[in-house]
Amino acid sequence: MKKQHSHGPFLKLKTKEALAGLGFALPSLAGFGLFFVVPFFLSLYYCFTEGIGDMRFVGLKNFQSLFQSSSFRLALKNTLRFTVLSLPLIFIVSLSFALILNTKMKGLPFFRSLFILPLVIPVASVILVWQIVFHDKGFLNTVLSFWGIPAIDWLNSENALAILIMLYIWKNCGYNMILLLAGLNNIPKEYYESARIDGAGSLLCFWKITLPYLAPSGFFVLVISIINAFKVFRESYQLAGNYPHQSIYMLQNFMNNNFHNLSLQRLSTAALLMLIIIGLLVSFLFRIEARMRRNLS
Amino acid sequence: MSIIIKRSLSQGIRKLFVYTVLVLAAILLLFPIITMLCNAMMESREVIEAYAFLGSGVKIEGNIGLKLIPDKVTLIQYYNVLFRKPTFLMMFWNSVIITVPIVVGQIVVSVLGAYAFAKLKFPLREPLFFTYIIVMLMPFQVTLVPNFIMLRQLKLLGSYAAVILPGIFSTFGVFLLRQFMVQIPDEYCEAAKMDGAGYFFTFFKIILPQCKGAVASLAILVFIDNWNIVEQPLIFLDNASKYPLSVFLSQINLSELGVAFACGVLFMLPALLVFLYGENYLVEGIQHSGLK
Amino acid sequence: MTGSKKSIIKHTAIVFLLTTLLLTFFSRTINQYLLPEVEVRLASRGTLQNETKASGEVKILHTKKIYSPGSLDIKEVHVKKGDTVSSGAILLTVDTSQAKLEIKSMELELLRLRNDLKDYEESLKPFDAVPYENEIALAQKTVEREKQNLDIIRAIYSKDVQDHIDAASERVKQAKKDLIDKEKLLEEKKKEAENEKEVYERTVKEMKLAIAIKDMEIGQVLENHSNLSYDDQLILLNRLELEYQQLKNQLEIYKLNYTPIDITFYEEAITIAKETLAQEEENLKQVIESYEQSSENRLRLFNAQCSLENAEVALMEKQEQLIKKQEESLSEQERLARNISEKKAEIQFKSQQLDNLKKSIPKDGKITAPCEGVIRSVGVESGQISNNQQVLFEILESDSTFSVQWLMNPAQSEHVKAGDKVSLKIKGESDIYIDGLVDEKTFSSAHGMYLFTSDISAQAEYPLEEGQEVEVTIQEASKSYDLIVPTRCISMQNGMNYIFVLRERQGALGHEYYVEQVNVTIIESDVLNTAINGYINPEDKVVVDSSKALFHNAQVKLR
């Protein structure tokens, strides 16, 4: 088929298709180019300059100063720590609930709806509730004090990270769960049946069938989780403000604060670094996924 | 016999366990919503009393830091929000003004773009799509700088367009719809082409009808995402009277605690309605986003 | 997801949007309608004006009044009103002959009183309780003795009786014990006799059995003789016969030898013991009775008791007598003492009167001017008899001044200080208005108020009289304050004073007014205005009146 297209009278057809394709994609491409690609290169330029009025080329100085800044290093460290801690956790939680909801029991669709609910609830609406719960003198501490546990200032201590991870899971668990449910549904039932005939237990089935075949969905869940992990800043910002406890001072906080200072160079540099880090992370995940896929086949 | 009983028994226990876990999770998930609803039905005085520690840091004795059952059920807070706070209403419409164009615009742009990426071959298609994905994965703060630079160049800063335009061209829509359209068998398009139908005809008559669900789910996802928008308005808009409700809510004063709950509920309402209406589309959309 | 659910959601959404749209559309109207209307005033810089009113009177300082030292028979007045006198000038002369006579008679009376007092003091003797006390001691001794006597009698009597009764009851006890012993013995013996009888009967039975057996053996031998020779049989038979006889004899002997134990002896012994017990009990009863009836003992005891009682009565009588006597003497003494003090007081009074009388008569019968000045008034004429303390002359000293004095309570006078301006309205036929200054502020403990004095000698040209009524108005200007607001705009909550300040802002509906609650502290206030401290600028508009209750940040509209 393809070869036929590339010959003679079909060449015209192919050009036509390419033109049509570009035409259809034009609005999207134009906007994308205008608001993301072009400015990105502009901001790339900022990364290597200095000054506001007349900008001088300074090479890697911005990077150097960025890495020397302790707040950036703290933010970077915290972001990595948050990602490393929260990703496996949310994966395990979502997978558990997906497995539970994948069984055929009564009332499960209702619970599925409940799990998606946090996804649609506006952060701004419920942030007050979280403030009430995690306040130094709030609900959680009061409840804990019934068991004689001394009050913890949740948002102004190392525990803030745990709170943030909890909020992150609370909000995004449903999304991941649905993705995993779709993945689970896509595994042919025959695999399980034949495995069971061969005498495999349910644990073995899980290890040998569910997990490997879930890998593509799982991979995507991880990617989505990373995106959402960066979005959790919204909660963090509304809960703890511009300068939260140092255990949850993330790259996003760093960038937000620098934006208020309007230090575009620094910002661009940080953005570029973030882009590189995420790019590396994603490509790393891609590679793992490819390897798993190869193993599977 | 005994094995069957044993199995059914163990199944019963397992069921009980599963339901317990689910109910506990449900309570945890619903907790903020219930708290919001309950507190919105109290008088200001009651709410301020119950959460005095938020402002003063001093807790009233015998107060557990959470109050769910109102002393007297009242709708006074809603009355205050809707009648006494024109700011709230104005900002509500600001939210609508920002969100609706983004949703509509992104759907239009994304549907067209997704069709191109899914069904039409054009040069640099794959690298471009890969770039889309990478940009999609970027946190907002990374794209913030380019956006800001460009908006400044276009002198759009301070207007609604500054928030709406980058929102419309978010790459997520293209990605989601393309994932969906890729699954529509090529044969449909081929057949239409054989019948001499143009690309537009194919798009409108064959692809679009099949994508209704996906478009709906995209609409829901984009709506929810942008209904919550906080940072962009704060950065791109200069006038507080243009801020959407989400910003207003996140900055609401602690002295207006009573009103804050009612505002929260009213703000949550559209998102909740949209969710209830299109839950199935939403689930479908999420599931499709996961398929490669 | 059913269709009906979807339609419900759809309808809810539409209703919600329409409501918000409608409310938004009319929000300006609704808002304007619902907003509280306020009236504002500028907070200003300035002073508070306080006027205090008081009433006082005109005083003339440095006048000297000369009072009559007593009742004087005035011979001649040497000066008249308006005369200028020098210090020491003779003002009037007094006729002293009458007064001297009076002094003489008074001295005589005093002497008589003194003598009276002496008499009383002599008759005042302390009461002598010794003879009574001696008598009481004697009576007490008698009582003591009688008591001892009674104790002794009682001791003897009770000991005697007790001994007898004790002995008798001891014997009763002994008899009882004896009886019980005897009964026990009888019981034992009875048992023994029974045992023996049993043994005897058993033995007899056994023996009888042995005899029967022997009898049977003999019978057997007689029947079964075949296998034995006759001789043998005979021998055997004889032996058996012998044994049989022996056994029988033994039984007989045993029977003869057996005599059952005789218990009658013991039974008799018990009867005797019982009798003894009864006797002893009777005896005890008799002993007790005999002592109870013993008239001699009782008489002795009774007599002793009677004499003790008599002694006690005698003692009591003596004591009562003593107390009565004491009381009598005490009242007598009291009366005397009263008389004495009366006399003393009288003497003191009389002597003082005498002194006064002596003093009231001016030296040489003349009254002189104490200082230089002008005679302002003359109270007596020649030939008159002046009353005691009557003003005879009033001399206006050469350096005299006019002043106004008034009293004010401490609360009022808190802010009034020396140097404050006062306007004085002196009431008379035609009112005189004078502006002056507060010259002196002193606390008058007699009135519990502050006494203010304003010197008006500068205005001496006015015809002022002592004691003229004056209306005093004190102009009390506070120091200048930065913030003065109308008093009625200040509210109070939780002990904090606050005011609402009008502010402007750019709201959702454009330019709008709102009020800010500002806590203030009150420095001072007059009738209308109050000086405050707080974070307010002097140009801020302060809410004076509102159509609705206000709260912090409430949006308002201007009236």
Side-chain angles (χ1 to χ4, degrees):
Chain A
M1 284 276 276
K2 259 190 180 170
K3 273 205 166 156
Q4 275 183 353
H5 280 296
S6 61
H7 282 292
F10 295 103
L11 197 78
K12 209 177 178 183
L13 195 67
K14 197 188 167 192
T15 326
K16 206 180 160 190
E17 191 184 330
L19 279 175
L22 283 173
F24 273 106
L26 188 63
S28 175
L29 284 175
F32 182 63
L34 194 61
F35 286 104
F36 295 99
V37 181
V38 175
F40 175 73
F41 284 107
L42 279 178
S43 78
L44 214 60
Y45 165 70
Y46 277 110
C47 295
F48 302 98
T49 56
E50 194 182 57
I52 296 169
D54 60 326
M55 291 193 261
R56 296 181 305 280
F57 184 78
V58 290
L60 291 176
K61 194 181 167 194
N62 282 329
F63 290 89
Q64 200 184 352
S65 77
L66 194 64
F67 274 110
Q68 273 164 359
S69 138
S70 61
S71 63
F72 176 77
R73 272 182 307 188
L74 178 73
L76 190 66
K77 192 190 85 187
N78 280 333
T79 310
L80 288 179
R81 194 157 71 129
F82 177 79
T83 316
V84 167
L85 284 174
S86 66
L87 283 194
L89 213 59
I90 196 172
F91 190 80
I92 290 165
V93 172
S94 339
L95 184 59
S96 318
F97 282 112
L99 285 173
I100 286 175
L101 290 181
N102 198 34
T103 51
K104 305 238 168 325
M105 279 199 252
K106 268 186 198 164
L108 291 187
F110 168 70
F111 283 110
R112 193 192 65 181
S113 302
L114 280 190
F115 277 96
I116 316 173
L117 202 54
L119 193 65
V120 302
I121 293 174
V123 190
S125 275
V126 294
I127 207 73
L128 251 180
V129 177
W130 297 130
Q131 276 174 353
I132 287 165
V133 171
F134 296 118
H135 191 270
D136 187 20
K137 295 199 169 53
F139 178 57
L140 187 59
N141 275 337
T142 316
V143 170
L144 288 180
S145 71
F146 289 149
W147 288 294
I149 300 167
I152 302 162
D153 195 351
W154 293 98
L155 295 175
N156 291 316
S157 64
E158 292 294 323
N159 297 298
L161 187 67
I163 298 296
L164 206 58
I165 291 176
M166 197 224 86
L167 282 182
Y168 168 67
I169 292 174
W170 178 81
K171 184 144 184 83
N172 296 306
C173 177
Y175 197 98
N176 294 351
M177 198 189 70
I178 285 174
L179 286 170
L180 288 170
L181 263 177
L184 286 171
N185 275 329
N186 280 349
I187 302 170
K189 296 279 174 290
E190 296 80 45
Y191 290 179
Y192 288 102
E193 277 161 23
S194 60
R196 204 148 291 152
I197 287 163
D198 291 346
S202 47
L203 202 67
L204 198 67
C205 281
F206 177 74
W207 278 114
K208 292 289 169 191
I209 301 167
T210 313
L211 269 192
Y213 282 94
L214 206 57
S217 307
F219 161 73
F220 190 74
V221 165
L222 280 182
V223 172
I224 287 286
S225 296
I226 292 172
I227 302 176
N228 288 331
F230 286 113
K231 278 189 188 161
V232 86
F233 168 69
R234 206 174 265 175
E235 274 89 342
S236 147
Y237 169 70
Q238 294 193 3
L239 202 59
N242 267 331
Y243 295 97
H245 185 260
Q246 59 165 6
S247 69
I248 54 167
Y249 186 82
M250 305 262 182
L251 274 179
Q252 294 98 305
N253 292 90
F254 176 81
M255 297 188 73
N256 223 51
N257 293 344
N258 275 310
F259 206 93
H260 289 297
N261 305 340
L262 274 178
S263 57
L264 279 181
Q265 279 97 353
R266 212 166 189 213
L267 210 57
S268 308
T269 316
L272 185 69
L273 274 171
M274 213 157 160
L275 190 110
I276 291 167
I277 290 167
I278 293 171
L280 283 175
L281 206 67
V282 171
S283 62
F284 173 68
L285 283 171
F286 262 111
R287 198 163 293 171
I288 288 179
E289 196 242 356
R291 185 174 293 172
M292 283 181 88
R293 205 172 275 219
R294 220 179 305 137
N295 286 351
L296 202 67
S297 56
Chain B
M1 233 349 224
S2 70
I3 290 171
I4 292 167
I5 289 171
K6 221 182 205 172
R7 182 174 291 173
S8 75
L9 197 72
S10 78
Q11 250 171 8
I13 289 170
R14 186 186 287 179
K15 237 181 207 174
L16 191 73
F17 173 74
V18 165
Y19 278 123
T20 315
V21 168
L22 285 177
V23 166
L24 282 179
I27 288 171
L28 203 67
L29 292 169
L30 281 176
F31 170 74
I33 303 168
I34 291 169
T35 312
M36 293 296 297
L37 286 174
C38 291
N39 282 305
M41 285 191 292
M42 297 175 188
E43 282 178 17
S44 294
R45 181 193 51 75
E46 206 180 335
V47 173
I48 288 167
E49 222 165 71
Y51 306 117
F53 57 85
L54 283 181
S56 59
V58 178
K59 185 140 125 209
I60 296 162
E61 203 57 38
N63 185 335
I64 63 158
L66 185 73
K67 186 165 190 180
L68 289 183
I69 299 161
D71 289 344
K72 198 180 91 193
V73 175
T74 170
L75 294 179
I76 187 82
Q77 301 299 355
Y78 295 105
Y79 166 79
N80 280 341
V81 173
L82 291 175
F83 288 86
R84 303 290 294 275
K85 278 219 171 305
T87 323
F88 174 86
L89 291 168
M90 296 305 294
M91 288 191 164
F92 180 85
W93 291 108
N94 285 347
S95 273
V96 174
I97 288 168
I98 290 170
T99 312
V100 171
I102 292 180
V103 173
V104 174
Q106 198 178 349
I107 286 172
V108 171
V109 170
S110 302
V111 160
L112 294 171
Y115 173 59
F117 278 110
K119 292 296 172 203
L120 301 174
K121 291 190 179 64
F122 57 90
L124 290 176
R125 189 178 81 160
E126 299 307 319
L128 272 176
F129 189 64
F130 185 71
T131 324
Y132 267 50
I133 292 178
I134 290 292
V135 170
M136 182 184 84
L137 296 183
M138 287 306 121
F140 158 73
Q141 283 77 12
V142 174
T143 55
L144 186 74
V145 188
N147 278 343
F148 184 79
I149 293 166
M150 190 42 76
L151 289 170
R152 198 170 58 179
Q153 292 291 318
L154 296 174
K155 304 218 182 318
L156 284 175
L157 279 178
S159 68
Y160 287 125
V163 182
I164 295 170
L165 284 177
I168 286 177
F169 296 110
S170 161
T171 54
F172 176 71
V174 176
F175 168 77
L176 185 78
L177 291 178
R178 185 238 168 214
Q179 296 296 84
F180 201 87
M181 288 182 188
V182 159
Q183 288 172 51
I184 298 169
D186 280 341
E187 284 74 32
Y188 288 164
C189 305
E190 299 290 339
K193 215 187 278 178
M194 288 300 159
D195 292 345
Y199 293 108
F200 272 98
F201 186 84
T202 319
F203 173 68
F204 280 113
K205 291 291 167 187
I206 294 167
I207 301 293
L208 219 47
Q210 293 196 53
C211 290
K212 253 190 216 159
V215 169
S217 81
L218 175 67
I220 295 170
L221 283 172
V222 173
F223 175 81
I224 287 163
D225 210 27
N226 287 292
W227 191 248
N228 277 331
I229 200 161
V230 176
E231 298 94 333
Q232 289 95 324
L234 274 177
I235 291 167
F236 296 151
L237 297 179
D238 52 355
N239 193 338
S241 65
K242 284 180 181 165
Y243 284 164
L245 199 51
S246 40
V247 175
F248 172 72
L249 265 181
S250 67
Q251 293 178 336
I252 199 156
N253 202 321
L254 279 177
S255 68
E256 295 179 299
L257 203 58
V259 177
F261 283 110
C263 282
V265 172
L266 287 177
F267 179 61
M268 191 168 19
L269 200 61
L272 222 54
L273 286 175
V274 164
F275 165 70
L276 289 174
Y277 187 77
E279 188 197 340
N280 285 351
Y281 296 125
L282 181 65
V283 171
E284 206 179 317
I286 294 172
Q287 286 176 346
H288 275 287
S289 70
L291 297 172
K292 292 275 319 183
Chain C
M1 173 99 67
T2 58
S4 71
K5 188 184 166 192
K6 278 202 171 185
S7 79
I8 289 171
I9 293 167
K10 218 184 275 178
H11 283 120
T12 317
I14 288 167
V15 167
F16 179 70
L17 284 178
L18 282 180
T19 317
T20 41
L21 195 63
L22 208 70
L23 286 173
T24 314
F25 191 72
F26 290 112
S27 63
R28 188 182 283 269
T29 323
I30 295 171
N31 205 32
Q32 283 299 318
Y33 179 71
L34 290 172
L35 282 183
E37 273 187 325
V38 297
E39 198 181 314
V40 293
R41 250 339 125 66
L42 270 176
S44 59
R45 183 192 291 270
T47 57
L48 294 174
Q49 283 295 323
N50 264 1
E51 273 193 356
T52 316
K53 298 224 171 199
S55 60
E57 58 178 15
V58 175
K59 292 265 174 197
I60 302 169
L61 288 178
H62 305 298
T63 61
K64 203 127 215 173
K65 281 175 181 167
I66 299 165
Y67 300 98
S68 168
S71 189
L72 297 180
D73 191 354
I74 294 157
K75 207 188 242 172
E76 198 187 346
V77 178
H78 298 285
V79 291
K80 58 181 188 297
K81 186 177 171 187
D83 284 359
T84 309
V85 291
S86 55
S87 177
I90 298 164
L91 299 177
L92 58 74
T93 45
V94 180
D95 185 2
T96 55
S97 56
Q98 190 67 32
K100 272 176 185 160
L101 207 69
E102 242 173 78
I103 289 169
K104 268 270 154 25
S105 75
M106 223 177 255
E107 274 172 349
L108 203 71
E109 200 181 348
L110 201 61
L111 193 70
R112 212 184 57 227
L113 284 172
R114 287 215 171 101
N115 285 342
D116 278 357
L117 178 66
K118 213 183 212 170
D119 279 356
Y120 281 127
E121 275 172 349
E122 268 167 12
S123 66
L124 183 70
K125 265 190 297 189
F127 168 69
D128 184 18
V130 176
Y132 297 100
E133 272 163 6
N134 283 347
E135 263 179 65
I136 288 171
L138 213 67
Q140 266 171 341
K141 254 179 209 159
T142 317
V143 168
E144 211 68 20
R145 212 174 46 233
E146 290 301 332
K147 249 184 204 161
Q148 268 172 12
N149 191 25
L150 179 64
D151 280 350
I152 290 162
I153 291 168
R154 208 176 256 157
I156 293 165
Y157 167 76
S158 59
K159 194 164 180 267
D160 215 15
V161 172
Q162 207 56 46
D163 281 355
H164 278 82
I165 291 172
D166 280 354
S169 54
E170 187 62 34
R171 276 204 301 276
V172 172
K173 233 190 252 168
Q174 202 64 43
K176 266 182 188 163
K177 206 176 151 196
D178 195 28
L179 177 61
I180 289 163
D181 284 350
K182 291 269 162 61
E183 273 169 350
K184 253 188 215 154
L185 193 63
L186 172 65
E187 211 58 32
E188 267 169 33
K189 284 293 166 190
K190 265 184 186 165
K191 235 182 218 162
E192 207 177 309
E194 250 163 51
N195 281 350
E196 258 178 33
K197 202 178 172 188
E198 214 177 302
V199 171
Y200 163 73
E201 273 166 6
R202 215 169 44 232
T203 319
V204 171
K205 233 185 223 167
E206 274 169 15
M207 280 178 170
K208 273 182 180 169
L209 203 67
I211 292 165
I213 288 164
K214 281 293 164 201
D215 200 25
M216 266 160 63
E217 266 177 50
I218 293 166
Q220 258 177 339
V221 173
L222 283 175
E223 274 172 34
N224 306 330
H225 49 77
S226 51
N227 54 343
L228 284 172
S229 68
Y230 181 72
D231 284 341
D232 287 347
Q233 276 181 20
L234 213 60
I235 293 163
L236 188 62
L237 213 53
N238 278 339
R239 196 169 47 92
L240 285 171
E241 201 74 30
L242 190 71
E243 279 170 3
Y244 176 72
Q245 267 321 310
Q246 272 175 346
L247 282 170
K248 260 197 167 167
N249 287 345
Q250 265 175 11
L251 178 62
E252 279 313 305
I253 291 162
Y254 187 71
K255 271 185 179 170
L256 273 178
N257 277 351
Y258 173 72
T259 47
I261 294 164
D262 189 10
I263 56 167
T264 42
F265 166 73
Y266 299 103
E267 280 168 353
E268 270 166 23
I270 285 172
T271 327
I272 292 163
K274 270 181 182 164
E275 268 169 24
T276 317
L277 180 59
Q279 232 172 359
E280 290 298 337
E281 275 171 350
E282 186 65 21
N283 183 33
L284 176 62
K285 222 160 60 189
Q286 269 176 3
V287 166
I288 292 167
E289 265 173 23
S290 75
Y291 272 100
E292 273 176 356
Q293 284 164 358
S294 157
S295 53
E296 193 200 353
N297 281 329
R298 282 167 65 134
L299 202 65
R300 270 167 65 192
L301 195 59
F302 180 72
N303 282 344
Q305 272 171 347
C306 278
S307 48
L308 174 61
E309 259 167 46
N310 284 342
E312 274 171 352
V313 168
L315 173 62
M316 221 132 66
E317 271 171 3
K318 294 265 186 260
Q319 278 168 340
E320 265 167 28
Q321 207 178 3
L322 172 62
I323 289 164
K324 217 164 116 194
K325 286 281 174 202
Q326 267 173 340
E327 270 170 11
E328 268 171 26
S329 96
L330 219 64
S331 68
E332 176 70 18
Q333 269 179 324
E334 218 168 284
R335 200 173 55 80
L336 280 174
R338 231 175 15 241
N339 280 343
I340 288 165
S341 62
E342 204 179 286
K343 286 289 165 202
K344 269 182 181 164
E346 214 173 339
I347 288 165
Q348 204 179 355
F349 175 71
K350 286 285 175 196
S351 59
Q352 207 156 22
Q353 221 174 8
L354 183 65
D355 276 357
N356 278 354
L357 194 62
K358 275 180 180 165
K359 228 188 265 169
S360 75
I361 301 163
K363 243 184 216 164
D364 315 326
K366 283 169 191 150
I367 287 177
T368 53
C371 57
E372 199 180 69
V374 180
I375 303 292
R376 211 174 138 76
S377 68
V378 179
V380 287
E381 285 172 32
S382 303
Q384 269 186 335
I385 294 173
S386 73
N387 294 322
N388 191 12
Q389 290 305 313
Q390 187 187 356
V391 177
L392 295 176
F393 302 97
E394 199 174 347
I395 300 172
L396 190 62
E397 283 177 57
S398 45
D399 57 344
S400 72
T401 52
F402 288 95
S403 70
V404 173
Q405 283 192 344
W406 70 94
L407 288 165
M408 272 163 78
N409 62 38
Q412 272 181 315
S413 45
E414 193 183 338
H415 301 292
V416 184
K417 56 199 175 299
D420 278 357
K421 278 183 188 164
V422 287
S423 49
L424 306 165
K425 181 182 168 190
I426 299 161
K427 290 181 180 170
E429 282 163 29
S430 58
D431 292 349
I432 303 164
Y433 293 92
I434 301 172
D435 281 335
L437 294 170
V438 176
D439 289 316
E440 211 181 323
K441 178 185 180 184
T442 50
F443 187 73
S444 152
S445 51
H447 300 91
M449 288 181 172
Y450 280 94
L451 182 73
F452 293 89
T453 312
S454 176
D455 200 342
I456 51 167
S457 48
Q459 277 79 21
E461 63 267 27
Y462 295 110
L464 296 177
E465 289 291 323
E466 168 92 21
Q468 258 182 311
E469 208 181 313
V470 181
E471 199 178 286
V472 186
T473 311
I474 302 136
Q475 303 286 347
E476 193 190 325
S478 67
K479 67 172 196 207
S480 174
Y481 291 109
D482 285 343
L483 280 173
I484 299 222
V485 296
T487 304
R488 61 180 164 142
C489 70
I490 298 172
S491 319
M492 192 154 117
Q493 189 185 38
N494 299 336
M496 288 289 286
N497 291 304
Y498 64 88
I499 60 172
F500 286 106
V501 177
L502 190 77
R503 301 254 188 262
E504 292 173 44
R505 67 182 166 200
Q506 202 61 39
L509 296 170
H511 197 65
E512 64 185 28
Y513 290 108
Y514 70 103
V515 291
E516 191 185 349
Q517 184 176 332
V518 180
N519 285 335
V520 296
T521 46
I522 293 177
I523 305 167
E524 200 182 339
S525 52
D526 64 9
V527 188
L528 286 172
N529 296 310
T530 301
I532 51 168
N533 243 340
Y535 294 104
I536 307 163
N537 297 319
E539 287 76 34
D540 277 341
K541 284 171 182 159
V542 177
V543 175
V544 179
D545 191 23
S546 168
S547 60
K548 281 179 185 171
L550 294 178
F551 51 90
H552 188 57
N553 272 342
Q555 205 190 329
V556 295
K557 60 182 172 191
L558 288 176
R559 185 170 285 170

